[in-house]
Amino acid sequence: MKKSALLFSAIVLLLASCNNKSNTTQNTAATKPLDFIQQLYLFGESADELFTGQLPGDSGGVFGAAYFTKKGNVIYNTMDMDGDTVSYFWGKYTVTDTTITYQLTDEFYYPGKWDARWDAKDPDYKKGKTRKVQPMEVTLHKSKDAWFPLYRPYTAEERKQAAKKFKGTIPFGLVFQPYSETKDMKFYTWFYKQIPALAEL
């Protein structure tokens, strides 16, 4: 099975997991300002601010990943299932007791589909390039939810646009869940090391 199919399945399962949340002894990442460093997050759209109405990644909603490094950098990408170009953005982040704000200033991009094989003889990403982009500033808020310790509420306009993709649902915004890669599902950290511009972040 393709790594991409496994990755997609993992994301869908992960984003659906909040429906099975329980009051366990999970760590609340939001309570310690630096717990998020060197942590991979998968994110998706949520139907409400209480994180109880998670929207699955295969419903046409937004989903992707963010990774915060020790050097104060963030790598961010959104999975565009219909697009013909794959992009990874990066920039710097700053931290307060209640927020993480990052500014994306650079992009690594390559022509191809999001689920193209990375283990092919001549993979698409090998043809990638980097460029500066118009800075994009994003603020994530810390929550006390152990499953989704970071979130970004949508603006009124973003909610209006997002509502067009779902029947009877208006997404509240994006929620971020910590994800630990396993031996058989270790794509992100592997991929970052393949791209010189990302490997040094």
Side-chain angles (χ1 to χ4, degrees):
M1 181 180 288
K2 284 187 179 181
K3 286 185 181 179
S4 57
L6 290 172
L7 175 64
F8 179 70
S9 297
I11 290 172
V12 171
L13 290 173
L14 183 66
L15 295 180
S17 67
C18 75
N19 291 328
N20 299 315
K21 281 195 307 185
S22 62
N23 295 322
T24 64
T25 58
Q26 300 240 0
N27 290 331
T28 303
T31 61
K32 297 180 182 179
L34 300 180
D35 279 357
F36 66 90
I37 292 179
Q38 294 294 98
Q39 174 64 58
L40 176 66
Y41 287 87
L42 299 186
F43 62 80
E45 292 181 301
S46 175
D48 58 59
E49 59 189 300
L50 298 178
F51 315 111
T52 57
Q54 187 71 18
L55 302 172
D58 60 353
S59 62
V62 175
F63 65 102
Y67 184 68
F68 299 92
T69 76
K70 292 180 189 175
K71 296 180 181 179
N73 299 301
V74 60
I75 302 170
Y76 178 94
N77 80 294
T78 299
M79 296 288 188
D80 183 354
M81 296 175 67
D82 299 317
D84 57 5
T85 302
V86 180
S87 292
Y88 285 79
F89 296 93
W90 75 89
K92 296 285 186 181
Y93 66 82
T94 57
V95 186
T96 72
D97 287 341
T98 58
T99 64
I100 300 171
T101 299
Y102 54 86
Q103 189 174 69
L104 303 173
T105 55
D106 296 86
E107 177 187 16
F108 171 77
Y109 65 100
Y110 57 92
K113 301 292 286 184
W114 75 277
D115 61 349
R117 301 253 345 196
W118 302 289
D119 56 353
K121 184 176 181 181
D122 187 27
D124 291 342
Y125 75 83
K126 292 284 188 180
K127 307 173 186 72
K129 299 179 180 179
T130 60
R131 63 185 172 192
K132 290 286 184 181
V133 296
Q134 186 70 30
M136 298 174 279
E137 187 167 287
V138 178
T139 295
L140 304 182
H141 300 269
K142 297 177 185 178
S143 77
K144 292 187 177 181
D145 186 288
W147 285 79
F148 299 107
L150 299 173
Y151 67 95
R152 182 177 80 80
Y154 279 164
T155 64
E157 181 58 30
E158 286 174 324
R159 293 192 78 205
K160 181 179 177 182
Q161 293 301 316
K164 295 177 181 179
K165 297 177 293 189
F166 304 99
K167 294 180 180 179
T169 301
I170 301 178
F172 162 76
L174 298 177
V175 289
F176 292 67
Q177 184 172 44
Y179 180 68
S180 296
E181 293 176 295
T182 65
K183 181 179 178 181
D184 297 324
M185 179 61 70
K186 201 167 187 177
F187 168 72
Y188 286 98
T189 51
W190 170 85
F191 185 79
Y192 298 154
K193 292 175 184 176
Q194 311 311 304
I195 311 304
L198 303 180
E200 298 304 316
L201 297 176

